[in-house]
Structure formats: C-alpha cells, structure tokens
Amino acid sequence: MQAEELEEAFEEEAIQPLGRPAPKDLPTSILLSAGYDGRAEKAFLRLYEPSSQQIYIWYDDTGHLPYCISKRSPEELRRNEKLLSYPGFLTLEPVERYDALRDEKIMVTKIVASNPLAIGGQGKSGIRNLIDESWESYIRYYQNYIYDMGLIPGMPYRVENGKLVEVKYELPGDVKKMLSLLVGDEEPEFKERILEWARLLQHPVPHIRRASIDIEVQMTQADRVPNPEEALQPIIAVSSVSSEGLRRVFLLAEEKMEEAKIEGAEVEIFHDEKDLIREAFRLLDEYPVILTFNGDDFDLRYLRRRAQRLGFSQDEIPITLGRKFVYLRNGVHIDLYRFFLNRAIQVYAFSDRYRENTLDDVASSLIGKRKLQLDFSTSSRMEVARYCLQDALITYELTTFDDDLVMKLMVLLSRISRMTLEDVTRQGVSRWILTLMEYEHRRRGWLIPNKEDILALKGETATRAIIKGRKYLGAMVKEPKAGIHFDVTVLDFASLYPSAIKNWNLSYETILCPHPEDRANIIPGTPHWACRRRRGLTSLIIGSLRDLRVKLYKPLSRDKRLSKEERAFYDVVQRALKVILNASYGVFGAETFSFYCPPLAESTAAIGRYAMTQTLEASEKLGIEVIYGDTDSIFLEQPREEQILELIEWSRRSLGVELDIDKVYRYVVFSRRKKNYVGVSPDGSVDIKGLTGKKRHIPPIIKEAFLQLTRILANIKSPDDVEEAKKAIRELVEKVYKRLRNREFELEELAFRVMLGRSLSSYETNPQHVKAAKMLQAQGISLGVGDIISYVVTQGGVKPMRLASKRDIDVEKYIEYLESMFEQVLEAFEIDLDQIIGRPRMTTLQSFLQR
DNA sequence: GCGGACTGCTTACCT
DNA sequence: ACAGGTAAGCAGTCCGCG
C-alpha cells in the first residue's frame, strides 16, 4: 500500500491515540470525543478529567463490533460466497427492528465484522458493496459505538475498576418543580423527554484547559499564501496562548538574534527550525484542547508536512491528517474558523454580528480586538512575532469572552447532537440533527431508514413555490402599509415552525402514514395527512426542545432574580436550542439530508401560513389594524392593551402557540417593499431591515450617508417632528451630492465590496464583481470562493479599486446609487404626508430636494 | 440600429 | 450542503419601430 493511501485509511476510521490510558479508577470526567484505534481494533473514548486537567483514553471493554443491517435472512446471505469469505467478516445474527415507515416489526440480519473497514471504507470496498442493499452501513464506527452504548458526549462519566460508568446528574429541586409545571397535561413520553433534555442541558460545563496555536511562515518574494501541502518555507514563529495565562512565542532566530522581548509574553529563540517544531509538538501533546483559526487547512497541516520534510519520523508527529480535517493524537483540535463559518452559528447564535469569516472580522465584532497590521515583505522578525502572538491571543479569546460562551455552546451542542467535540464544531446543522435522529432510532430499536426508503413513499409535494426552481410554497409575507406609523407593536409566534411540528405531530413516519383512518386528519393548505395513532419521533424531539427553550430557558435567561452568571449560562442553553430549532424545519426540505421528506417540510410551512392568515382574521375581528406581517410576525398599529391581550389569548387557545410581544416601536417607516422597513424604539435605537443602506457591499460613502439618515430618524418623536427631519435629510443629501460632484472623496469610500460566491471560472455570466476579479487575476492575484472583491465604477466600466484612480470615477453613477438608496425611505414620507408629487420623470429624491 | 420590456443570474437580505 | 420569499442591479435577448 502506498503511503498516501495508508494515511487515508488510517485517518478515516482509525486514529491512534497516544494519550494517557485511563487508570483503573478515574474520577468523574467529561466525555469529549471518540475514535477507533486500528492497531488495537477497538473503539476508544477521550475523557477529560477536570482536576488533573488531562485527557485520558479509555478503550472499549465490551467487545463491541462493527456491523451493518440487511433485510435478507441469514440463510439467504449465507449463499453469498463473497460475503462469507470477505476478510473481516464474522457473523450473521437475526434481530428484530421496528420499521417506522410501515409501522411494523420486521426481522433483519446484523452482519458483523471485525473492523470498520470491512463494513466499508473509502470507495467500493467492503461488505456493504457485496450485498444488494444495506442499512446503517455508512455510519462512522465510533458514532455507532456512541449510539449502542447510549453515550452522550459532553456529559460526565467515571471509570470504576476498569469499567465505564455514567455519572448520574440529578436536577436541582427548583428546576424540577418548574418543569413539572410547564409540562402540565402532556403525555408521559413527552414529560420524560423534557426531563431527560433538562438533565443534559442543565449540567454545568466544566472549565476545559486549552491553548491556541498559530504559526507564521517565511514569505517568498511573491505575496502568495504558502502551500501547506508542499511546506517549502521554514516556519519562523509559533505562538500560543493558554488558559493558565501563558503567552508563548517560539521564534526562529535571524543571524545574530540572541534574545527578544515582548511584554507580557515569553519569547523563546530557536536557532534550528527542527527544535522549534519539536517544542510546538510538545505543546500540542500537552493540552486537552487545541484551538486554531483555520488549523485544518493551514497551521496544523503545514506543521505536519514541514516536519515530514525535515525528516521527523511518524511517531514524533502528534498530528493526523484527514482529507479535510486535522486531528491530534492526544487532545481535541477545534478549528474555530470552521465553527464560526457555520451559517447557523453565525446567524442564530451571534445574530449576524460578524459578516465575513476572517479572524479579524469575527474577533473585532465579537470581542472588539483586531489582528495587527503587517506588511510581510518588509516586516522584521520581531514584528512577525508580535503579529503571530496577537493571532493566537484573539483565537484563544474567541472561546473565553462572556464567561466561556463559545466553549460552553460547543459542549452543549455536542450533548444535544450526540456528536464528538471535533465533529460538532466542524459539521453543519443537518449533521447534528441527523446524528441525534439516528441515536434515537437505535436506542428504541428502530431501523434507520435509507434516504430512498423515505423518498419512495413520501417524495411528492403538492404546492407550487413562488420562486422558480424551489420545491414547495413557503412563508407568507403581507404587503406593508406604506407610510410612517406611530406607536406600533410587533407580535411574533414563539418558534412557529417547531410548534407546527409539535402540535400537528409531524415526522417522516407520521406524515402520510399508512393508516387509512388517519387520512381525514388533513394539514391545512395541503392534501397531506398526519398520524393520530402514534407520536412522531421528530415531533417528540423538536417539540420537547421547543418547549424547553420557550417555557424554561428563555425566561430563565432573563430572570432578574437569578445571578448574572446563572442568567448567562441559561442564555447559552437558550442559544444552543435556538440554533438547533431554527434549522429543524429546513433540513427536512434539504435533499442532502438523510431524512429528507418534502411533504414534511411543505406541511410545516403550510401550517405557518395557516397560523398567519388565521391571526390576520382574528385581528380584524378584534378591530386591530395589522400593517405588516412576515412569516411569524405581525405589526399592529396603535393597538390597545386589551386588544393585544385578547389576541394573545386567542392564539394560545385556537392555535396552541404563544404569541409574544417582540418589540414596541415609537414609529415604523414602510415603503411599499416587503422585508424593508425602519423601526425606531422609544429609547431612540433604530432597527433597519433590508434597506440597501445596510447591505454589506455598498460603498462607504453611501453607507455613511445612510447612517446619518438613521440618526435624523432617531430624533423624530412625534408627527410634529417630521417636517424638521425632512429639512435635515435634505441638507444631508445635498452635502453628499456636493462631495460627489466636486470629487471630494477617497477611492476607498467608493468601493463596492462583493463576495465571490463561487470559483472564478465557474460563472456563467459576467457580473461586475467577477469582471473586477478577473482583472485582478490577470495581475497574478489568486482569488477564490469567499474572497471579497473591492471595485469602483469608472467611465470605462468597473475596475478593481486598487487599479483605479480618482479621476476615472463615474460620479453620475454614484449619484444614482445614492438616490436609489434614499428613495427607499423618502417614498414613505411622501406617501404618508401626501406631498406634491414631482414631475413624472423625476425621482422622488429630485422632487424632494426641489421643495 | 436603437431603446424599452423582459428574463435570468447574482448577491444580500428577512423570517 | 437547513428552507422559501424579496429587493436590487446587471447582462443579455427579444421585439417593435417605416
């Protein structure tokens, strides 16, 4: 076998851990991760013991073996010669499973093998390819092990006389009391589930000892990112910041460098790069958790390749390469770049507070710290050292801010999803939910269906999407009432889609179930029906998580009777649940998801529309004016207190969903565009939704004008202030106009910044940012997905900002952009204040300025 | 040969 | 590799116009 192949196989299923073996008796420890040791042919667990702050490796002692499932009988399978003689094949065992799709018990055969690769590795090898159909054969072995042992990563275990023992965690009395109150008249299965989740969410997350690491590499003349596969350039600096307060820089000496100092840090000078790398490896072996920012693709990969190039032996290198990820032999490697790149994390856990996935952007948005500026071609070694240390510092602090929020979030997500810390921080929400679903199937003896099984019975949708190419009709958006509205209350449904899944018993096995008597139980707005005979698995899981978030953890996170620390922890719990819940509907409409079930997603959205239309009707009956609504929210104009309460009560009774007061606005400005408005709160804070002025890519000069516009709007307290505001806006517009006309600007202020959504060669058309990118590429600058292209509009078309000059700027074009942006807000004022409409060919802005 | 209507592509946003 | 709905701008095509 060639080395490369060997490494892949080794990596995929078999990591050789080199941690301390767990002693016969290990005090309470947290299960962080699991793997398969190919040499020992056993599953192993990584346990973090909080008092020694070390990782211990515990090997399976139950003789658990890899397997997959066939629906054929053992007798039939025994006729398959290839199977019987396949290396690693062991036994055939008939077992009973529940087939949820057909609601019946069936006999299947467990095909057991001595090692995971025998079931199936990369490519076409393995038992699963020798039989016509197999089930549960694509599940990672260590994940199978977690399912079968009923393990929950992130939870406490202990080793007693060599045996792994779960450490029971009892809920605090007051929490128990609150829980029994909130579950009220739910069925026992639901109550039990709530208690189980609460134990798992409530258990404190211990402090985990950890260190960040960042490397810098000697630059070549060209300012090109060094290639980690080749690792041709020497590593000149390695920095690390650890939870015990150490800040270290390993620096490769220049000619006469003997010592170096950085305040607050230890700088260690190395004259031989190999010694430097050895020290870095010691560090990687030492810590239970190693943090990087893009270590999967760069730092750790480079370290490994560079060490190989310098002649290190395999045993000296603590880093294992995967195809995409990089692991450690002792501890757990968390690549924060991957974690923050996760859209669900970005949007739901951090409310889109960072927009770009660079260390600089994430850190400056979340912890208010930036990378140091550095020009690699001219900088001194000490400058590189400082730069490197700063990167390590902010990488570390991304896990410590707000009382270890990110670390706790990761551990909680690991518990909920039943995934290892390595996996949960690297994979998307669909994997999290898949893993959780598989766990639930296995523990109740359900066969995990293949995707085709579900699709064959439940692949069809019945509605038509508004957007071409989409699979079914989605949310409803009510036309906004254009104008400026004072005293607006916004109500929204608490977790509308999860509520729909809970209340209508939606799950892949309950939607379009096989029972004729359930066919009358129609989902409104669809021809689909849902089961009434048994509780759907998805409904149970998502429903219980929903109730915990809405009824317990969200209130607790705001409960002023609790300490700040307690509230902060409940806020993390609440956020973790939010991330999972918000994705729980979408995954069933995603073709890549193993439980893909179009009518389930379609039904969920349909119930959402039903809730919205019913609520609009009910509001009308109560005499409330609804001026806008989007998916799960409605905007009420000058509602009376008792009207609001009546509507909320109506929703609880008729829909079974909590309708909450989300916001109160002093006033809201609507144009006639959907998903576009400005709302000003009583305290003067301004919410901007959808307006061009807040979009990331628009030129700073326009953005700045927009920001000033919002300041003017914030000062409007009553209808009487509107005239004055209009005057201020007029002055503002004139000022920016003048600046543009007189070319009193810097080039940077005019740059559009648009992200490349795909590789440059794969565009079918030639949009402006792509044009600019291609011009940059012609200059030898390499660009790829996720890169942001800065360009300006000149007389001769678009140009990359760095290739343009001020003289070329097409000022008229920028004035058009400016007008278009202001129009979105001004239009609303015009309409509401029934002012003279300007001459037909004039824009709103022009007529506005003339007055 | 030109300009407006139209479509499709792309990005960024909202829930 | 969570979903669909909306806005905006650009590029390219079609169609009518003596």
Side-chain angles (χ1 to χ4, degrees):
Chain A
M1 215 191 234
Q2 280 135 341
E4 213 178 69
E5 247 176 81
L6 185 75
E7 188 156 278
E8 281 230 338
F10 181 75
E11 142 58 27
E12 275 303 324
E13 285 290 1
I15 296 170
Q16 177 104 53
L18 200 103
R20 296 150 192 83
K24 257 184 87 189
D25 293 287
L26 180 68
T28 300
S29 304
I30 300 297
L31 173 57
L32 290 187
S33 92
Y36 177 73
D37 182 337
R39 245 174 273 182
E41 298 200 309
K42 275 180 183 171
F44 68 85
L45 305 177
R46 287 198 173 89
L47 298 161
Y48 173 68
E49 199 279 300
S51 63
S52 62
Q53 306 204 322
Q54 297 288 359
I55 290 254
Y56 291 92
I57 310 285
W58 181 85
Y59 278 90
D60 171 63
D61 63 349
T62 67
H64 185 277
L65 290 168
Y67 62 91
C68 67
I69 301 286
S70 167
K71 283 190 182 175
R72 300 198 179 280
S73 66
E75 293 72 45
E76 274 181 281
L77 289 169
R78 258 190 274 280
R79 277 182 238 127
N80 186 336
E81 269 308 312
K82 279 189 187 155
L83 170 63
L84 297 190
S85 60
Y86 197 83
F89 167 80
L90 292 179
T91 57
L92 299 170
E93 299 170 19
V95 289
E96 190 184 78
R97 288 285 189 270
Y98 171 69
D99 178 350
L101 278 168
R102 290 180 182 76
D103 191 18
E104 62 189 17
K105 293 204 165 137
I106 54 172
M107 286 305 292
V108 298
T109 305
K110 216 167 153 174
I111 305 175
V112 185
S114 63
N115 67 84
L117 276 173
I119 296 295
Q122 303 263 294
K124 290 254 186 292
S125 69
I127 287 170
R128 65 172 175 230
N129 297 298
L130 295 178
I131 52 179
D132 53 351
E133 274 188 298
S134 66
W135 280 261
E136 309 183 14
S137 63
Y138 280 88
I139 301 168
R140 285 249 171 293
Y141 176 64
Y142 62 81
Q143 201 65 58
N144 259 313
Y145 186 75
I146 288 173
Y147 299 157
D148 286 335
M149 296 295 130
L151 302 174
I152 301 181
M155 289 299 274
Y157 293 85
R158 170 169 87 237
V159 179
E160 244 176 58
N161 200 17
K163 297 267 177 233
L164 187 75
V165 182
E166 188 187 338
V167 178
K168 291 273 182 231
Y169 171 71
E170 269 304 307
L171 286 170
D174 50 336
V175 174
K176 242 182 171 164
K177 221 175 277 169
M178 274 188 273
L179 283 170
S180 62
L181 239 86
L182 81 83
V183 288
D185 51 358
E186 301 280 0
E187 77 256 46
E189 194 185 15
F190 196 88
K191 281 187 190 167
E192 225 168 85
R193 182 47 51 120
I194 290 260
L195 285 176
E196 195 184 314
W197 279 127
R199 267 195 290 274
L200 190 149
L201 296 168
Q202 194 80 32
H203 190 274
V205 177
H207 171 79
I208 299 177
R209 180 166 168 258
R210 57 192 185 271
S212 65
I213 191 162
D214 180 67
I215 75 166
E216 303 303 331
V217 171
Q218 176 88 65
M219 278 298 190
T220 49
Q221 311 85 312
D223 67 338
R224 167 175 306 158
V225 186
N227 182 343
E229 294 308 325
E230 294 171 351
L232 292 173
Q233 301 300 314
I235 294 170
I236 54 174
V238 174
S239 294
S240 172
V241 172
S242 77
S243 51
E244 57 264 41
L246 288 176
R247 296 178 182 194
R248 304 171 72 186
V249 184
F250 308 150
L251 198 58
L252 189 63
E254 286 177 306
E255 301 96 69
K256 279 179 291 178
M257 195 180 232
E258 283 308 327
E259 59 168 0
K261 282 210 166 63
I262 296 178
E263 210 183 322
E266 271 176 53
V267 184
E268 295 154 63
I269 301 284
F270 293 85
H271 293 276
D272 181 353
E273 189 191 355
K274 286 178 76 170
D275 292 337
L276 187 155
I277 292 174
R278 225 167 259 127
E279 197 56 33
F281 285 170
R282 236 194 297 284
L283 196 139
L284 292 178
D285 264 337
E286 167 65 18
Y287 285 88
V289 168
I290 293 287
L291 309 162
T292 64
F293 198 90
N294 206 24
D296 276 344
D297 279 340
F298 186 69
D299 302 68
L300 295 194
R301 205 168 281 269
Y302 200 99
L303 265 171
R304 181 184 163 94
R305 290 287 187 220
R306 186 67 189 167
Q308 284 175 326
R309 184 168 284 281
L310 295 178
F312 279 70
S313 73
Q314 209 77 345
D315 286 352
E316 291 176 287
I317 307 175
I319 300 165
T320 324
L321 292 195
R323 273 175 315 155
K324 285 164 72 184
F325 308 140
V326 180
Y327 304 94
L328 297 168
R329 66 180 171 194
N330 178 40
V332 171
H333 168 219
I334 298 175
D335 185 342
L336 293 173
Y337 169 73
R338 298 254 167 212
F339 182 70
F340 285 108
L341 188 63
N342 185 321
R343 280 289 292 168
I345 294 295
Q346 182 180 356
V347 177
Y348 304 130
F350 296 106
S351 317
D352 245 333
R353 267 160 62 204
Y354 58 95
R355 306 274 199 100
E356 293 162 29
N357 296 300
T358 58
L359 178 57
D360 194 50
D361 186 48
V362 175
S364 64
S365 308
L366 297 183
I367 59 177
K369 290 198 180 173
R370 306 201 71 109
K371 281 167 78 87
L372 298 181
Q373 297 280 328
L374 191 70
D375 179 349
F376 279 94
S377 53
T378 60
S379 54
S380 72
R381 184 117 331 166
M382 279 314 289
E383 284 169 330
V384 171
R386 284 202 177 80
Y387 173 89
C388 183
L389 180 64
Q390 176 76 358
D391 277 8
L393 179 68
I394 57 187
T395 300
Y396 171 68
E397 288 186 354
L398 280 177
T399 70
T400 61
F401 76 93
D402 284 358
D403 199 18
D404 279 5
L405 182 149
V406 166
M407 208 62 209
K408 288 174 181 166
L409 188 61
M410 294 190 291
V411 171
L412 284 172
L413 288 169
S414 169
R415 289 181 191 167
I416 298 170
S417 66
R418 271 67 169 176
M419 282 170 102
T420 65
L421 200 51
E422 285 107 325
D423 286 348
V424 83
T425 52
R426 285 173 172 81
Q427 318 244 241
V429 282
S430 72
R431 275 269 150 191
W432 303 349
I433 294 173
L434 171 66
T435 310
L436 170 57
M437 294 277 290
E438 286 181 344
Y439 182 96
E440 293 294 339
H441 275 69
R442 187 67 64 76
R443 83 153 160 190
R444 49 184 79 201
W446 290 21
L447 179 71
I448 299 169
N450 285 336
K451 203 155 106 183
E452 309 81 67
D453 302 342
I454 300 177
L455 223 50
L457 294 168
K458 317 194 168 176
E460 304 283 309
T461 53
T463 58
R464 224 222 275 297
I466 293 172
I467 309 171
K468 206 193 267 183
R470 300 283 156 100
K471 290 163 290 203
Y472 56 87
L473 188 57
M476 190 185 134
V477 189
K478 184 185 156 53
E479 203 79 45
K481 187 177 166 198
I484 173 166
H485 307 275
F486 284 84
D487 184 14
V488 171
T489 300
V490 184
L491 304 185
D492 72 352
F493 292 112
S495 294
L496 179 63
Y497 287 169
S499 308
I501 291 171
K502 179 194 169 200
N503 293 346
W504 292 79
N505 195 28
L506 301 185
S507 194
Y508 79 88
E509 79 280 13
T510 51
I511 192 85
L512 304 171
C513 67
H515 319 117
E517 67 274 22
D518 289 324
R519 288 179 176 241
N521 187 29
I522 294 288
I523 310 287
T526 76
H528 308 314
W529 66 89
C531 191
R532 278 185 157 139
R533 292 181 47 159
R534 57 197 166 120
R535 181 73 190 228
L537 184 59
T538 313
S539 173
L540 180 69
I541 297 172
I542 300 304
S544 50
L545 285 174
R546 185 216 98 106
D547 279 8
L548 277 168
R549 170 158 192 262
V550 171
K551 298 181 185 176
L552 185 65
Y553 290 113
K554 209 163 171 205
L556 282 178
S557 73
R558 292 166 182 184
D559 192 333
K560 289 277 151 36
R561 290 169 301 184
L562 299 178
S563 70
K564 223 177 111 216
E565 290 73 29
E566 284 173 302
R567 283 206 306 269
F569 181 69
Y570 289 131
D571 187 54
V572 185
V573 175
Q574 177 271 122
R575 275 202 237 197
L577 293 176
K578 180 179 179 182
V579 175
I580 299 263
L581 289 170
N582 279 332
S584 64
Y585 138 77
V587 293
F588 288 99
E591 276 159 89
T592 47
F593 183 54
S594 277
F595 290 88
Y596 176 51
C597 184
L600 166 46
E602 182 179 38
S603 300
T604 310
I607 294 164
R609 292 193 302 277
Y610 174 75
M612 174 69 93
T613 43
Q614 293 287 107
T615 307
L616 293 178
E617 234 173 71
S619 306
E620 198 179 334
K621 277 192 192 137
L622 288 167
I624 308 172
E625 178 155 30
V626 182
I627 52 175
Y628 179 59
D630 184 350
T631 313
D632 62 353
S633 67
I634 52 168
F635 289 57
L636 313 180
E637 185 166 26
Q638 300 183 2
R640 292 195 308 278
E641 176 93 34
E642 75 271 13
Q643 287 176 311
I644 297 175
L645 294 177
E646 273 183 80
L647 192 64
I648 289 173
E649 178 56 20
W650 167 87
S651 168
R652 196 189 58 74
R653 253 199 340 259
S654 320
L655 301 174
V657 190
E658 298 85 349
L659 195 52
D660 297 330
I661 297 178
D662 179 37
K663 282 237 145 140
V664 174
Y665 288 122
R666 190 197 288 160
Y667 72 95
V668 178
V669 182
F670 285 119
S671 63
R672 61 186 121 55
R673 297 162 186 81
K674 295 170 172 179
K675 298 185 188 283
N676 258 265
Y677 62 85
V678 179
V680 180
S681 298
D683 66 4
S685 60
V686 184
D687 280 345
I688 312 281
K689 299 292 175 181
L691 303 200
T692 306
K694 90 177 266 192
K695 297 203 174 180
R696 183 183 62 187
H697 70 279
I698 68 161
I701 196 168
I702 295 180
K703 208 163 215 175
E704 176 56 31
F706 187 80
L707 194 70
Q708 304 215 24
L709 174 65
T710 64
R711 293 214 186 94
I712 295 169
L713 295 178
N715 281 325
I716 300 180
K717 299 238 157 54
S718 72
D720 303 337
D721 301 331
V722 172
E723 273 314 309
E724 202 178 326
K726 286 171 74 174
K727 201 171 134 234
I729 294 171
R730 201 168 295 141
E731 281 163 15
L732 168 64
V733 177
E734 269 159 1
K735 203 177 76 198
V736 186
Y737 251 26
K738 221 178 263 167
R739 275 189 71 200
L740 280 168
R741 276 266 147 67
N742 300 339
R743 294 178 185 266
E744 295 161 6
F745 47 70
E746 295 305 317
L747 215 46
E748 287 77 19
E749 293 181 277
L750 300 191
F752 287 88
R753 301 179 73 247
V754 178
M755 197 190 287
L756 283 177
R758 51 173 81 184
S759 73
L760 223 36
S761 54
S762 65
Y763 281 94
E764 296 169 26
T765 55
N766 206 7
Q768 297 194 320
H769 68 296
V770 175
K771 256 182 218 161
K774 282 178 180 164
M775 291 164 88
L776 286 171
Q777 205 178 35
Q779 305 271 311
I781 298 160
S782 72
L783 295 163
V785 181
D787 284 335
I788 289 180
I789 311 299
S790 289
Y791 67 88
V792 293
V793 182
T794 68
Q795 308 287 353
V798 295
K799 263 190 191 168
M801 187 188 78
R802 50 199 286 190
L803 302 182
S805 73
K806 241 168 78 174
R807 290 187 306 281
D808 306 337
I809 293 298
D810 184 350
V811 168
E812 293 304 322
K813 202 74 205 163
Y814 280 88
I815 289 172
E816 267 179 46
Y817 293 133
L818 187 72
E819 286 188 354
S820 161
M821 181 205 77
F822 269 87
E823 209 154 62
Q824 291 179 346
V825 177
L826 294 180
E827 226 178 54
F829 280 86
E830 297 296 306
I831 288 160
D832 190 62
L833 302 165
D834 68 334
Q835 296 302 324
I836 321 103
I837 313 291
R839 278 176 283 122
R841 261 185 290 103
M842 273 186 165
T843 63
T844 316
L845 187 67
Q846 284 166 338
S847 67
F848 174 78
L849 284 174
Q850 277 188 358
R851 285 181 295 106

